[in-house]
Amino acid sequence: MNEKIKPQLEYLQILTTFLNSDSYEFYRFLSKRRLASSVLRKNYFELINSYIFHNKHGINDRMWDLKNPKYRQRIQIDLVRNISNYLSSLLMFISYSQKDIVPYLKKNAEVYKCYEVLKQKYLNSVKSHKFIKDLRNFTNHFSTVSISSEISQNHNINDVRIDIFVKKSEILTWDGWSKDSKVFLEDESEKIYLFKILAAHYEEFIKFQDMTYLYLFLVDSTKISNYMHDISETY
Protein backbone atom coordinates (compact mmCIF):
# COMPACT_ATOMS: atom_id res chain seq x y z
CA MET A 1 0.00 0.00 0.00
CA ASN A 2 1.21 3.49 -0.81
CA GLU A 3 2.20 4.95 2.56
CA LYS A 4 1.19 8.43 1.42
CA ILE A 5 -2.46 7.52 1.05
CA LYS A 6 -2.63 5.13 3.99
CA PRO A 7 -3.91 7.83 6.46
CA GLN A 8 -6.60 8.87 3.97
CA LEU A 9 -7.76 5.29 3.52
CA GLU A 10 -7.84 4.74 7.25
CA TYR A 11 -9.93 7.87 7.76
CA LEU A 12 -12.22 6.84 4.92
CA GLN A 13 -12.86 3.57 6.75
CA ILE A 14 -13.63 5.44 9.99
CA LEU A 15 -15.95 7.79 8.12
CA THR A 16 -17.73 4.93 6.37
CA THR A 17 -18.30 3.22 9.70
CA PHE A 18 -19.69 6.44 11.15
CA LEU A 19 -22.03 7.02 8.20
CA ASN A 20 -23.60 3.62 8.80
CA SER A 21 -23.97 4.03 12.55
CA ASP A 22 -26.76 5.07 14.90
CA SER A 23 -24.58 8.04 15.84
CA TYR A 24 -24.80 9.35 12.31
CA GLU A 25 -28.58 9.07 12.39
CA PHE A 26 -28.61 11.10 15.59
CA TYR A 27 -26.23 13.59 14.02
CA ARG A 28 -28.66 14.01 11.11
CA PHE A 29 -31.52 14.35 13.59
CA LEU A 30 -29.74 17.22 15.39
CA SER A 31 -28.69 18.81 12.08
CA LYS A 32 -32.28 18.94 10.90
CA ARG A 33 -33.26 20.71 14.10
CA ARG A 34 -30.39 23.20 13.76
CA LEU A 35 -31.42 23.93 10.17
CA ALA A 36 -35.01 24.70 11.17
CA SER A 37 -33.76 26.90 14.01
CA SER A 38 -31.31 28.75 11.75
CA VAL A 39 -33.99 29.54 9.17
CA LEU A 40 -36.26 30.89 11.90
CA ARG A 41 -33.53 33.06 13.43
CA LYS A 42 -32.41 34.39 10.05
CA ASN A 43 -35.94 35.35 9.03
CA TYR A 44 -36.54 37.00 12.40
CA PHE A 45 -33.45 39.18 12.19
CA GLU A 46 -34.24 40.13 8.58
CA LEU A 47 -37.66 41.22 9.81
CA ILE A 48 -36.22 43.22 12.70
CA ASN A 49 -33.62 44.87 10.46
CA SER A 50 -36.34 46.01 8.05
CA TYR A 51 -38.34 47.33 11.03
CA ILE A 52 -35.30 49.26 12.30
CA PHE A 53 -34.72 50.67 8.81
CA HIS A 54 -38.33 51.85 8.70
CA ASN A 55 -38.08 53.55 12.09
CA LYS A 56 -34.78 55.34 11.50
CA HIS A 57 -36.26 57.86 9.09
CA GLY A 58 -36.49 61.43 10.40
CA ILE A 59 -39.57 63.58 10.62
CA ASN A 60 -38.62 65.59 7.50
CA ASP A 61 -37.54 62.56 5.48
CA ARG A 62 -39.05 61.57 2.12
CA MET A 63 -40.59 58.67 4.02
CA TRP A 64 -43.40 61.06 4.96
CA ASP A 65 -43.88 62.77 1.59
CA LEU A 66 -47.66 62.60 1.16
CA LYS A 67 -47.49 63.66 -2.48
CA ASN A 68 -45.16 60.82 -3.39
CA PRO A 69 -45.73 57.83 -1.09
CA LYS A 70 -43.90 55.31 -3.28
CA TYR A 71 -40.76 55.25 -1.12
CA ARG A 72 -42.74 54.54 2.05
CA GLN A 73 -44.79 51.92 0.23
CA ARG A 74 -41.63 50.08 -0.90
CA ILE A 75 -40.44 49.92 2.71
CA GLN A 76 -43.85 48.69 3.87
CA ILE A 77 -43.90 46.00 1.16
CA ASP A 78 -40.52 44.77 2.38
CA LEU A 79 -41.84 44.65 5.93
CA VAL A 80 -44.92 42.67 4.91
CA ARG A 81 -42.76 40.23 2.95
CA ASN A 82 -40.51 39.69 5.96
CA ILE A 83 -43.50 39.25 8.27
CA SER A 84 -44.81 36.51 6.00
CA ASN A 85 -41.41 34.79 5.78
CA TYR A 86 -40.92 34.88 9.53
CA LEU A 87 -44.40 33.55 10.35
CA SER A 88 -43.98 30.73 7.83
CA SER A 89 -40.62 29.69 9.29
CA LEU A 90 -42.06 29.87 12.81
CA LEU A 91 -44.92 27.53 11.94
CA MET A 92 -42.52 25.29 10.04
CA PHE A 93 -40.39 25.01 13.18
CA ILE A 94 -43.41 24.26 15.35
CA SER A 95 -44.66 21.59 12.92
CA TYR A 96 -41.21 20.03 12.72
CA SER A 97 -40.98 19.90 16.53
CA GLN A 98 -44.35 18.19 16.82
CA LYS A 99 -43.43 15.64 14.16
CA ASP A 100 -39.80 14.86 15.13
CA ILE A 101 -38.79 16.32 18.49
CA VAL A 102 -41.80 15.42 20.63
CA PRO A 103 -41.88 11.72 19.57
CA TYR A 104 -38.20 11.44 20.44
CA LEU A 105 -38.73 12.99 23.88
CA LYS A 106 -41.54 10.51 24.53
CA LYS A 107 -38.98 7.69 24.50
CA ASN A 108 -38.07 8.73 28.05
CA ALA A 109 -41.11 9.22 30.27
CA GLU A 110 -39.33 11.39 32.85
CA VAL A 111 -37.80 13.69 30.23
CA TYR A 112 -41.10 14.00 28.40
CA LYS A 113 -42.86 14.89 31.66
CA CYS A 114 -40.33 17.68 32.23
CA TYR A 115 -40.89 18.88 28.68
CA GLU A 116 -44.66 18.99 29.15
CA VAL A 117 -44.25 21.06 32.32
CA LEU A 118 -41.93 23.43 30.46
CA LYS A 119 -44.34 23.71 27.52
CA GLN A 120 -47.33 24.43 29.72
CA LYS A 121 -45.40 27.07 31.63
CA TYR A 122 -44.43 28.69 28.35
CA LEU A 123 -47.99 28.65 26.95
CA ASN A 124 -49.42 30.04 30.19
CA SER A 125 -46.98 32.94 30.24
CA VAL A 126 -46.86 33.79 26.52
CA LYS A 127 -50.45 34.69 25.69
CA SER A 128 -49.53 35.83 22.18
CA HIS A 129 -48.44 32.36 21.01
CA LYS A 130 -51.80 31.20 19.67
CA PHE A 131 -52.47 34.63 18.14
CA ILE A 132 -49.19 34.53 16.21
CA LYS A 133 -49.91 30.99 14.98
CA ASP A 134 -53.32 32.15 13.79
CA LEU A 135 -51.78 35.24 12.21
CA ARG A 136 -49.73 32.98 9.97
CA ASN A 137 -52.92 31.23 8.82
CA PHE A 138 -54.49 34.65 8.31
CA THR A 139 -51.65 35.70 6.00
CA ASN A 140 -51.60 32.36 4.15
CA HIS A 141 -55.31 31.82 3.63
CA PHE A 142 -57.08 35.16 3.92
CA SER A 143 -55.03 38.30 3.35
CA THR A 144 -51.65 39.91 3.71
CA VAL A 145 -51.11 41.97 6.84
CA SER A 146 -52.06 45.55 6.01
CA ILE A 147 -49.62 47.72 7.94
CA SER A 148 -49.62 51.46 8.52
CA SER A 149 -46.72 53.76 9.34
CA GLU A 150 -47.13 56.19 12.21
CA ILE A 151 -45.13 59.19 13.33
CA SER A 152 -45.81 61.23 16.46
CA GLN A 153 -43.94 63.86 18.42
CA ASN A 154 -43.86 64.89 22.06
CA HIS A 155 -43.07 68.60 21.79
CA ASN A 156 -42.35 68.90 25.50
CA ILE A 157 -39.29 66.65 25.29
CA ASN A 158 -38.67 67.00 21.54
CA ASP A 159 -39.15 63.25 21.09
CA VAL A 160 -40.20 61.72 17.75
CA ARG A 161 -41.83 58.30 17.77
CA ILE A 162 -42.04 56.21 14.60
CA ASP A 163 -43.73 52.82 14.47
CA ILE A 164 -45.85 50.31 12.55
CA PHE A 165 -49.32 49.14 13.45
CA VAL A 166 -52.15 47.02 12.10
CA LYS A 167 -55.82 47.76 12.67
CA LYS A 168 -57.65 45.31 14.88
CA SER A 169 -60.97 45.93 13.10
CA GLU A 170 -59.38 44.93 9.79
CA ILE A 171 -57.87 41.62 10.89
CA LEU A 172 -61.04 40.69 12.79
CA THR A 173 -62.90 40.50 9.46
CA TRP A 174 -61.39 37.00 9.20
CA ASP A 175 -63.52 34.31 10.85
CA GLY A 176 -60.62 31.93 11.45
CA TRP A 177 -59.37 33.34 14.75
CA SER A 178 -59.33 30.82 17.58
CA LYS A 179 -60.96 31.46 20.93
CA ASP A 180 -57.56 32.13 22.54
CA SER A 181 -56.65 34.63 19.83
CA LYS A 182 -59.93 36.48 20.25
CA VAL A 183 -59.30 36.73 23.99
CA PHE A 184 -55.81 38.06 23.29
CA LEU A 185 -57.14 40.61 20.80
CA GLU A 186 -59.75 41.86 23.28
CA ASP A 187 -56.94 43.37 25.34
CA GLU A 188 -55.41 45.12 22.33
CA SER A 189 -56.33 48.61 21.21
CA GLU A 190 -57.50 49.40 17.67
CA LYS A 191 -53.88 50.03 16.76
CA ILE A 192 -51.95 46.80 17.28
CA TYR A 193 -48.19 47.40 17.41
CA LEU A 194 -47.34 44.07 15.87
CA PHE A 195 -43.56 44.20 16.05
CA LYS A 196 -43.51 44.57 19.82
CA ILE A 197 -45.71 41.48 20.07
CA LEU A 198 -43.52 39.50 17.66
CA ALA A 199 -40.29 40.53 19.41
CA ALA A 200 -41.55 39.63 22.89
CA HIS A 201 -42.88 36.29 21.63
CA TYR A 202 -39.65 35.46 19.80
CA GLU A 203 -37.53 35.98 22.90
CA GLU A 204 -39.65 33.59 24.98
CA PHE A 205 -40.09 31.08 22.17
CA ILE A 206 -36.33 30.79 21.66
CA LYS A 207 -35.80 30.26 25.40
CA PHE A 208 -38.39 27.48 25.35
CA GLN A 209 -36.85 25.83 22.28
CA ASP A 210 -33.29 26.10 23.60
CA MET A 211 -34.32 24.28 26.77
CA THR A 212 -36.16 21.67 24.70
CA TYR A 213 -32.97 21.12 22.71
CA LEU A 214 -31.08 20.33 25.91
CA TYR A 215 -33.71 17.73 26.82
CA LEU A 216 -32.76 15.80 23.67
CA PHE A 217 -29.46 14.89 25.32
CA LEU A 218 -31.20 13.45 28.39
CA VAL A 219 -33.45 10.93 26.63
CA ASP A 220 -30.87 8.17 26.15
CA SER A 221 -27.55 8.49 28.00
CA THR A 222 -26.03 5.48 26.22
CA LYS A 223 -26.86 6.93 22.82
CA ILE A 224 -25.29 10.26 23.77
CA SER A 225 -22.16 8.58 25.13
CA ASN A 226 -21.74 6.62 21.90
CA TYR A 227 -22.50 9.70 19.85
CA MET A 228 -19.86 11.84 21.58
CA HIS A 229 -17.31 9.04 21.20
CA ASP A 230 -18.04 8.52 17.50
CA ILE A 231 -17.98 12.23 16.77
CA SER A 232 -14.61 12.64 18.44
CA GLU A 233 -13.25 9.63 16.56
CA THR A 234 -14.53 10.86 13.20
CA TYR A 235 -13.90 14.58 13.43
Side-chain angles (χ1 to χ4, degrees):
M1 178 184 296
N2 190 327
E3 292 299 319
K4 289 185 179 180
I5 66 170
K6 184 177 180 181
Q8 288 90 333
L9 292 175
E10 290 176 348
Y11 177 71
L12 182 60
Q13 181 61 45
I14 293 173
L15 182 60
T16 301
T17 301
F18 175 69
L19 294 177
N20 290 287
S21 68
D22 290 338
S23 292
Y24 179 66
E25 291 301 315
F26 189 65
Y27 170 81
R28 293 278 296 170
F29 174 72
L30 295 179
S31 295
K32 188 176 180 181
R33 193 269 179 195
R34 285 194 295 268
L35 176 61
S37 177
S38 295
V39 171
L40 174 65
R41 292 171 191 265
K42 182 176 177 60
N43 282 339
Y44 174 76
F45 286 110
E46 285 182 353
L47 171 60
I48 291 302
N49 285 337
S50 62
Y51 175 64
I52 292 172
F53 180 76
H54 169 278
N55 289 2
K56 78 174 187 178
H57 290 77
I59 191 169
N60 296 316
D61 194 272
R62 59 176 173 157
M63 173 81 169
W64 310 105
D65 187 348
L66 298 180
K67 294 181 179 179
N68 184 17
K70 290 183 178 180
Y71 179 72
R72 181 173 67 255
Q73 289 170 353
R74 285 200 302 270
I75 294 176
Q76 291 174 335
I77 288 170
D78 195 47
L79 280 165
V80 170
R81 178 181 60 83
N82 285 325
I83 290 172
S84 179
N85 287 343
Y86 170 67
L87 292 175
S88 292
S89 62
L90 176 66
L91 266 292
M92 178 271 291
F93 191 95
I94 292 172
S95 296
Y96 155 73
S97 295
Q98 292 171 343
K99 183 176 71 72
D100 287 10
I101 299 297
V102 173
Y104 183 76
L105 294 173
K106 285 182 177 180
K107 293 180 178 181
N108 184 309
E110 287 301 315
V111 172
Y112 181 66
K113 182 179 179 180
C114 291
Y115 164 76
E116 281 291 295
V117 171
L118 178 71
K119 183 180 75 171
Q120 199 56 52
K121 181 179 179 181
Y122 162 77
L123 292 175
N124 289 340
S125 61
V126 185
K127 301 300 184 182
S128 62
H129 183 78
K130 184 60 178 176
F131 164 72
I132 291 174
K133 287 180 64 178
D134 286 347
L135 184 63
R136 183 265 186 180
N137 292 328
F138 173 90
T139 60
N140 272 27
H141 305 299
F142 184 70
S143 174
T144 56
V145 177
S146 180
I147 63 174
S148 300
S149 300
E150 176 183 73
I151 184 168
S152 58
Q153 184 173 16
N154 187 328
H155 295 283
N156 294 328
I157 59 175
N158 196 30
D159 177 56
V160 176
R161 180 178 180 273
I162 300 172
D163 214 331
I164 290 287
F165 67 88
V166 298
K167 291 184 177 180
K168 179 165 70 172
S169 57
E170 289 184 359
I171 65 174
L172 282 177
T173 58
W174 183 48
D175 61 4
W177 296 107
S178 65
K179 180 180 178 181
D180 289 341
S181 292
K182 289 177 180 178
V183 170
F184 175 81
L185 287 168
E186 284 177 0
D187 292 332
E188 294 294 314
S189 62
E190 172 62 12
K191 291 182 179 180
I192 300 175
Y193 294 96
L194 184 60
F195 284 84
K196 290 180 175 59
I197 295 173
L198 292 176
H201 171 269
Y202 175 82
E203 181 178 351
E204 295 303 317
F205 183 77
I206 290 298
K207 289 179 183 177
F208 167 57
Q209 292 299 336
D210 285 349
M211 183 59 70
T212 301
Y213 181 73
L214 295 179
Y215 284 160
L216 296 176
F217 294 87
L218 301 177
V219 172
D220 187 336
S221 59
T222 301
K223 178 190 286 288
I224 296 304
S225 179
N226 291 337
Y227 171 74
M228 298 303 294
H229 173 269
D230 292 344
I231 286 288
S232 63
E233 286 289 311
T234 306
Y235 295 102

